[in-house]
Amino acid sequence: MKTITLRAGKERSLQRRHPWVFQGSIAKGGGDPGETVRVQSHDGQFLAWGSFSPTSQIRVRAWSFDEAERIDAAFFQRRIAQAVALRPRLAIHSDAMRLIHGEADGLPGLVVDRYAHLLSAQFLSVGVERWRDVIADALLQATGCQHLYERSDVGVRELEGLPQRTGWLRHPEGDPLVTELAIREHDLRLSLDVAEGHKTGYYLDQRDNRKLFADLVRQLNAQRVLNCYSYTGGFSVAALMGGATEVISVDSSGPALERAKAHVALNGFDASLHTALDADVNATLRRLITEGQQFDAIVLDPPKFAPTAAHAERAARAYKDINRLAFRLLSPGGALLTFSCSGGISADLFHKIVAGAGLDAGVDGYIVKRLEASPDHPTTVTFPEGEYLKGLVILRR
Ligand code: SAH
């Protein structure tokens, strides 16, 4: 067993059960990619078992803080079974949910989503990469699913020295291998393709916020709705469910918009209630302002503008820009649902950015609710960085 010795004073983070060891904290020691190492303090005290990553700034991701625990197949079976057992204790109103949420579920670098009968996984660190087969078997065992698709086509794998990879990891013999499927989410029916969709196939983290939006649209009797960064139109169909009579979805992905149109039909709504705009959101907001348009409800759910805190400043300007434009399009009494999924932007900072945007637009509003990811994307007390999605519901005065 290889040992990593930390510099004096650098043991505190692991002692508080934070799972990452940065390169700068290490005095000596190393290992192969994904190899299990023993991490100890400068004076030899055990701190954690972890996986070593020779190329990443995060050199070690802790598996366990218990010296007696062995990191073997049984360890992964236990952690996966524990994560799967948590989900029925959370309020998840869908047959699609996140089963493994990386660090929060004690499996750093592993993301697994369940879509009806199928699992879709991302292996984001060399640690989980090394145990990929064990993890795949344990996932099938814990869920009873027979289909596991891999979506490790994610840029962060490069930081770990790993190539991108997609394809079937497990499936029944002779199976026709269909990646297209249907799910239910609250009252919505949705479809997705785990091979083609974003992330593992869909944005499950917004499930409860889409439901909240449907209820809000009904409560406010909102008629005209603008859904920016709509992807496959989850918030758009939610708006129709809430009684909206004119919904515009804006996204720069043509295939996503095609599916948004299909979702309108799948949920029993007339196509004439919905318009899909294949366009840049910023430019579209400016055009709509020039045209003097107004909306009773607007959703802003942009992609991650700040992947890390280092990008926060430029991202803050981009968030402020779109929020300022959206405020100007809001009819009096209208509602703005605005989000950031950037880990590098705290909820507090996001609040300030949106407040600044309102001020610049000359629009005041009531912040009636703060939003976060649905509960199958848990945050643990030891790893607050896991909290990434934040949102606000604002009612225009
Ligand atoms: N609200 C969606 C998820 C949005 S993800 C849901 O509930 O499912 C972010 C989306 O922004 C992606 O679909 C991506 O295609 C789109 N996008 C990224 N940059 C864009 C831009 N500049 N203009 C329009 N859409 C953009």
Side-chain angles (χ1 to χ4, degrees):
M1 178 66 59
K2 292 184 185 154
T3 296
I4 306 293
T5 305
L6 301 190
R7 291 166 42 202
K10 295 293 182 186
E11 64 280 356
R12 264 178 231 126
S13 173
L14 284 175
Q15 280 168 342
R16 289 160 61 189
R17 301 197 157 222
H18 186 284
W20 293 349
V21 177
F22 288 93
Q23 181 198 4
S25 302
I26 297 176
K28 64 170 195 272
D32 296 329
E35 186 175 358
T36 301
V37 291
R38 179 184 196 273
V39 187
Q40 62 180 27
S41 65
H42 69 105
D43 55 0
Q45 186 196 345
F46 171 85
L47 295 170
W49 302 114
S51 67
F52 191 77
S53 180
T55 59
S56 172
Q57 283 292 319
I58 305 172
R59 279 299 145 93
V60 180
R61 292 170 198 255
W63 291 130
S64 171
F65 302 96
D66 175 1
E67 191 166 10
E69 189 153 38
R70 282 188 53 196
I71 310 307
D72 53 13
F75 166 82
F76 289 95
Q77 287 159 6
R78 280 197 302 279
R79 284 280 161 98
I80 288 169
Q82 192 180 17
V84 170
L86 169 69
R87 270 56 193 177
R89 299 168 58 207
L90 308 171
I92 302 171
H93 304 283
S94 180
D95 57 355
M97 68 193 73
R98 176 145 303 183
L99 286 183
I100 313 278
H101 189 49
E103 277 75 356
D105 284 303
L107 293 165
L110 183 64
V111 168
V112 183
D113 289 335
R114 178 177 188 151
Y115 296 107
H117 69 283
L118 188 152
L119 303 176
S120 181
Q122 294 180 322
F123 294 80
L124 305 174
S125 65
V126 277
V128 286
E129 176 82 4
R130 190 153 171 142
W131 292 94
R132 185 162 155 263
D133 269 325
V134 165
I135 289 169
D137 290 337
L139 283 169
L140 298 199
Q141 197 189 354
T143 59
C145 291
Q146 293 183 289
H147 295 84
L148 171 59
Y149 197 84
E150 179 173 9
R151 285 295 305 271
S152 297
D153 50 336
V154 186
V156 290
R157 272 174 66 94
E158 279 154 37
L159 304 176
E160 300 274 325
L162 298 169
Q164 306 208 358
R165 187 179 51 222
T166 60
W168 288 98
L169 206 48
R170 295 287 184 276
H171 62 78
E173 224 173 295
D175 191 84
L177 301 184
V178 179
T179 52
E180 169 82 24
L181 53 88
I183 59 166
R184 291 192 154 272
E185 167 183 297
H186 291 283
D187 311 320
L188 306 185
R189 298 176 65 194
L190 299 162
S191 69
L192 59 110
D193 188 326
V194 290
E196 305 290 331
H198 292 184
K199 305 212 285 184
T200 65
Y202 191 57
Y203 294 92
L204 294 171
D205 51 0
Q206 291 283 28
R207 177 192 313 114
D208 291 355
N209 297 327
R210 286 186 284 258
K211 166 67 173 157
L212 176 137
F213 189 57
D215 295 342
L216 186 71
V217 164
R218 171 159 296 118
Q219 188 184 322
L220 298 177
N221 193 24
Q223 300 298 307
R224 293 201 83 204
V225 173
L226 180 63
N227 180 11
C228 298
Y229 309 97
S230 66
Y231 188 49
T232 57
F235 280 103
S236 301
V237 183
L240 293 171
M241 282 282 179
T245 51
E246 195 184 343
V247 179
I248 302 177
S249 300
V250 189
D251 202 282
S252 54
S253 159
L257 288 170
E258 283 310 311
R259 204 177 276 278
K261 289 186 209 163
H263 283 159
V264 170
L266 184 64
N267 288 276
F269 294 103
D270 199 279
S272 65
L273 302 178
H274 177 250
T275 306
L277 288 182
D278 186 345
D280 172 65
V281 162
N282 201 299
T284 304
L285 292 172
R286 288 170 198 278
R287 175 174 67 76
L288 293 169
I289 290 172
T290 317
E291 291 172 5
Q293 303 225 25
Q294 295 250 283
F295 295 88
D296 304 323
I298 301 177
V299 178
L300 285 181
D301 184 20
K304 212 187 283 175
F305 287 161
T308 70
H311 303 78
E313 205 173 307
R314 183 143 49 97
R317 278 198 295 279
Y319 283 118
K320 188 172 176 186
D321 232 20
I322 54 169
N323 279 279
R324 179 175 48 77
L325 298 169
F327 268 119
R328 291 184 56 191
L329 285 167
L330 214 53
S331 53
L336 173 64
L337 238 76
T338 180
F339 295 98
S340 162
C341 61
S342 296
I345 303 273
S346 68
D348 193 39
L349 176 57
F350 184 60
H351 191 157
K352 289 197 177 92
I353 293 167
V354 175
L359 203 61
D360 282 5
V363 172
D364 201 357
Y366 303 98
I367 296 169
V368 293
K369 203 163 177 68
R370 285 151 214 271
L371 306 172
E372 58 189 5
S374 297
D376 45 334
H377 299 63
T379 304
T380 59
V381 288
T382 51
F383 187 64
E385 290 95 326
E387 195 159 23
Y388 65 103
L389 182 67
K390 68 276 308 178
L392 295 169
V393 182
I394 300 172
L395 292 188
R396 185 174 170 176
R397 269 159 90 108

